Amino acid sequence: MLLYIFTFLVVIFLISPIIVLVPISFTSLSYFKFPPPSFSTQWYNSFVQNDEWLKSFFKSLELSCVVVILSVIIGTIAALAVSRVNFKFKKAFMALMVTPMIIPIVIIGVALLNSFAKIGLNDTMIGLIIAHTLIAVPIVFVTVMSGLKGLDKNIELAAEGLGSTEIRVFFKIILPQLKSSMLSACLFAFITSFDEVSVTLFLAGTKTKTLPVAMWETMRTELTPTLAAVSCILILLTIIILAVQNIFNYRLKNKYTCSSNK
């Protein structure tokens, strides 16, 4: 019983800032106050009617979608190479793949700033895509690797023994079994890119300002409840993404359960 109470208190402690943020985003005041004296949607309207906010939002959305595609391709190929091919320096390669998860993000930002300045990639979408992909690839790599460990290699060997090519085995045997892991990798890569601010602050400029950067600048110059409204929108987006993942995994699990029962 004490364990349940302790767990409940920890959960409340963790989500209490989010719970407080929601009513603040609907306040009628022009500053933060909890609880708000009255409610209004003016700060959500301010976000929707502000061209700079919308431009940064769609910039982040566009950037995240491209990063998802690139990071999933690179991370999946790397995971397949590690799990299916024996080559020299495999452990070193695996360490290299997860290095961006270990190195402090500020160091990555400084290194990319100096490197991109020499080739003119600062304040460009290409530079941000490369930077965000660098950060998202390790997450995809680890997620897909965990999915590959649960696959039965005998099925692949049987397909190859019957004359199937390696590419056909991947698309017909491996990929269908990796649906859950691939979806998780896509969602994690999207959230990582969409919420990334540390590296983006080093590389972004007026042409490539993402939503987290716009929020950071607003927090430093003009602290209004619009920031709370934008934060609630991001929280809602994250919840929707996680809900989609859970629904997909639940349906996939039920599908495999029904198939095995038959």
Side-chain angles (χ1 to χ4, degrees):
M1 186 63 182
L2 291 176
L3 180 60
Y4 288 109
I5 296 174
F6 178 76
T7 304
F8 176 77
L9 292 176
V10 170
V11 172
I12 293 298
F13 174 77
L14 292 175
I15 68 174
S16 57
I18 299 175
I19 296 174
V20 171
L21 192 64
V22 174
I24 289 178
S25 68
F26 288 98
T27 184
S28 59
L29 301 175
S30 59
Y31 55 90
F32 290 93
K33 182 181 180 180
F34 182 83
S38 58
F39 295 93
S40 172
T41 59
Q42 60 176 316
W43 305 112
Y44 288 90
N45 294 332
S46 175
F47 169 73
V48 174
Q49 295 172 3
N50 189 301
D51 292 337
E52 290 297 323
W53 279 115
L54 291 179
K55 183 179 178 181
S56 61
F57 175 80
F58 288 112
K59 185 73 69 175
S60 292
L61 193 63
E62 176 187 356
L63 174 63
S64 300
C65 291
V66 176
V67 169
V68 166
I69 295 172
L70 293 177
S71 61
V72 167
I73 292 174
I74 297 172
T76 302
I77 292 174
L80 284 170
V82 170
S83 62
R84 295 296 187 270
V85 181
N86 291 320
F87 56 92
K88 276 181 126 181
F89 309 112
K90 180 186 286 190
K91 292 184 178 180
F93 177 77
M94 292 179 63
L96 182 64
M97 289 300 301
V98 299
T99 296
M101 297 177 65
I102 302 171
I103 297 178
I105 201 72
V106 175
I107 296 178
I108 296 176
V110 173
L112 291 177
L113 174 65
N114 294 330
S115 301
F116 287 176
K118 298 177 182 179
I119 54 179
L121 287 180
N122 286 338
D123 196 14
T124 63
M125 281 297 291
I126 296 177
L128 287 182
I129 289 171
I130 295 173
H132 284 212
T133 302
L134 177 66
I135 299 171
V137 163
I139 299 174
V140 176
F141 175 74
V142 172
T143 305
V144 176
M145 274 288 294
S146 63
L148 286 170
K149 288 181 180 179
L151 300 185
D152 188 359
K153 293 184 180 181
N154 292 326
I155 301 176
E156 303 169 35
L157 295 174
E160 292 177 359
L162 293 173
S164 181
T165 61
E166 293 184 358
I167 296 178
R168 189 175 180 83
V169 168
F170 173 74
F171 285 102
K172 294 294 184 179
I173 305 296
I174 299 176
L175 196 58
Q177 298 182 76
L178 285 177
K179 285 182 180 179
S180 179
S181 298
M182 293 290 289
L183 177 63
S184 298
C186 290
L187 297 180
F188 290 150
F190 181 87
I191 294 174
T192 300
S193 175
F194 199 91
D195 292 342
E196 212 294 314
V197 63
S198 301
V199 171
T200 312
L201 282 172
F202 286 94
L203 304 178
T206 55
K207 299 178 183 178
T208 55
K209 186 186 298 183
T210 61
L211 186 60
V213 172
M215 293 174 66
W216 172 262
E217 292 180 353
T218 301
M219 185 176 65
R220 295 184 61 190
T221 58
E222 184 184 7
L223 193 59
T224 65
T226 304
L227 190 62
V230 177
S231 301
C232 288
I233 292 173
L234 292 180
I235 292 170
L236 179 61
L237 179 63
T238 304
I239 292 173
I240 291 173
I241 290 174
L242 294 177
V244 169
Q245 179 190 8
N246 289 329
I247 292 172
F248 180 85
N249 291 339
Y250 177 77
R251 290 183 176 180
L252 193 64
K253 182 179 179 180
N254 287 344
K255 180 180 178 181
Y256 285 143
T257 303
C258 295
S259 300
S260 61
N261 290 337
K262 291 180 180 178

